[in-house]
Amino acid sequence: MAYFYDEPSRTFSEYLLIPGYSGTQCIPANVSLRTPLVKFRKGEEPALSMNIPLVSAIMQSVSDDNMAVSLAKEGGVSFIYGSQPIEEQAEMVRKVKNYKAGFVTSDSNIRPDQTLADVIALKEKNGHSTVAVTEDGTGTGKLLGIVTGRDYRVSRMPMDKKVSEFMTPFDRLIVAFDGTSLKEANDIIWEHKLNSLPIIDKQRNLISFVFRKDYEQHKENPAELLDSSKRYVVGAGINTRDYEQRVPALVDAGADILCIDSSEGFTEWQRIVISYIRDKYGDTVKVGAGNVVDSEGFRFLAEAGADFVKVGIGGGSICITRETKGIGRGQATAVIDVAKARDEYFRETGVYVPICSDGGIVLDYHITLALAMGSDFCMLGRYFARFDESPSNKVMVNGNYMKEYWGEGSARARNWQRYDLGGAAKLSFVEGVDCYVPYAGPLHDNLQTTLSKIKSTMCNCGALTISELQEKAKLTLVSSVSIVEGGAHDVVVRDVKQ
C-alpha cells in the first residue's frame, strides 16, 4: 500500500523563532549574510558565494538583465529566464557581463521630429527625467541632444511642439568619449556641476550615461557581487529539452552559473542534463537542479552532481500545481527534511551541497525561518516582481499601481519545457496563474529593509552568520489562535497619514 507520513506538512507561518542569548557584539552591523552558492569539499572555500542569501526566480516577469545587474549590486544573483529563444537569453547574459558599473545604457530615447507629448509619455512610462535625443531614436544612435525637465514647461508649451525646438543641442552639451573611466566621468560631472554625462564614440553614437545620483548609490553598495574580472555575477535558467544548444551559448556569453528550471527535479531527465555538462565542461560550469521536497530527491540530485539543489513544489504564490495535480509539500517541512539530508550527505562524503528554498515566502521573516531551518539561500519571485527593476509592466488597477506577474506554468508564459515529462512539446494544462502584485518602488530601498529585518532577527537568536543561526536556532510550532495573537488585535488601529 502507499506510504503515509505521520506528520502533516507545514508552512513557514506555522513556526516562530525563540530568542536566544545575545552578547554585546551581536548587533546587526556585525552580521554577515554571506552564503555558499555552489557545493564545496570540507575545509575548502566554494567557487561561488553570495553576499546576501537571495536569488531572483527563473521567470519571465522577474529576471532579465536589468534585474540581474540590480540584484548583483546588492550582493545576490538573478537567474535569467530560459523560456525565450537561446540567443535572446544569451544576449541578456552578455549585457550583464559587459555592464560597466556606473555606466548606464539609455532606455529613454527619442527622435528630434517627435513631440513634447512623446517626451511626457516616455517619462511616465520609464520614470526617467533625462531623455536622449538621437537620430534614430535608439539608445545607440547618433546623439543630437538631450531633454530634461529644465527644457520644457508643460503649462506654457503646446504638446505638439517638436523636440528639436526645445532640446539642449549637442553643441551645448559636455560629453566624454568611450574609454573614459568611471572616476574620470564623475570628476567631469562634479567639475561642471552636471546631473548626467553622455558617453559617445568617435562617430558621436551614444554609448551610455553616467549620472550624478549613481555616484552616491555606488558607494552605498559595498556588497556588490563581482567575478574575478570585476564583472557582475549572473545566472541563467536551462531546461531538459534544448540544453545541448542552450548551455554552450550561455557559457560562451559568460554565465557564471546555470540552473535547471523544472517544476519537479527527481527525474532521469535532470541527471542526463547534469551528466552532459560534466562530460563537456567538467566542474568548470556550475549547475543547480531541482525542485525536490524530500531527502530521497535531494540525494538523487546530489549524487548526479548538482552544485546546489532547489527545494519546493507548489508553494509559489502564482503556482497551482497542488490544486491541479495534488502533488507537493508544505514548504517548511520540505526545507527541514532536505536540510537534514544535506547534512547527512556532508557527513558521509565531505561534500556540502547548498540548498535553496524556492516558494512559500510571503513575509520577510519567512526568509529568516527558511535560513534557520537549513536553507543556504532563498529564491524569490513575487518579492522581486514588485520592483521597478522587474521586466513586467506597471499598470493602474482600481486606483493603485500594480506590476504584472505570471507563473511559468501559466498560459501566458507557455513554458512547457519547465513541466516536461518527455511527452508532447506543449502545455496540456496550466499550473500557474496570471495576476498582479502591488507595486513597491525601487529594489534597493525595499531590499535593505528586508535585510535589516533578517539581521535583527539573527541577533535576537544570538547568531552573526547564517551557519551560526542554523546551529543555534530554536523553533516552535504555533497554534491558529497564537497566530492571531501575533498581530495587532483587540484594538482599533489608527489610520495616520504620514
Side-chain angles (χ1 to χ4, degrees), residues 38-80:
V38 297
K39 66 183 179 183
F40 59 94
R41 291 195 172 276
K42 187 175 183 178
E44 298 179 355
E45 287 294 315
L48 282 173
S49 294
M50 297 187 294
N51 294 325
I52 63 172
L54 301 177
V55 299
S56 66
I58 312 170
M59 299 176 69
Q60 297 170 12
S61 55
V62 178
S63 297
D64 64 354
D65 52 296
N66 187 41
M67 177 61 74
V69 168
S70 300
L71 188 51
K73 287 180 179 179
E74 307 293 339
V77 172
S78 280
F79 285 86
I80 292 176

Side-chain angles (χ1 to χ4, degrees), residues 10-17 330-333 360-367 369-370 373 475-484 486:
R10 300 188 181 278
T11 66
F12 292 129
S13 291
E14 293 180 80
Y15 288 90
L16 285 175
L17 284 158
Q331 189 66 12
T333 300
I361 303 291
V362 179
L363 303 171
D364 286 349
Y365 84 88
H366 291 165
I367 299 172
L369 283 173
M373 291 172 178
L475 294 115
T476 181
L477 281 167
V478 294
S479 68
S480 58
V481 178
S482 64
I483 291 175
V484 174

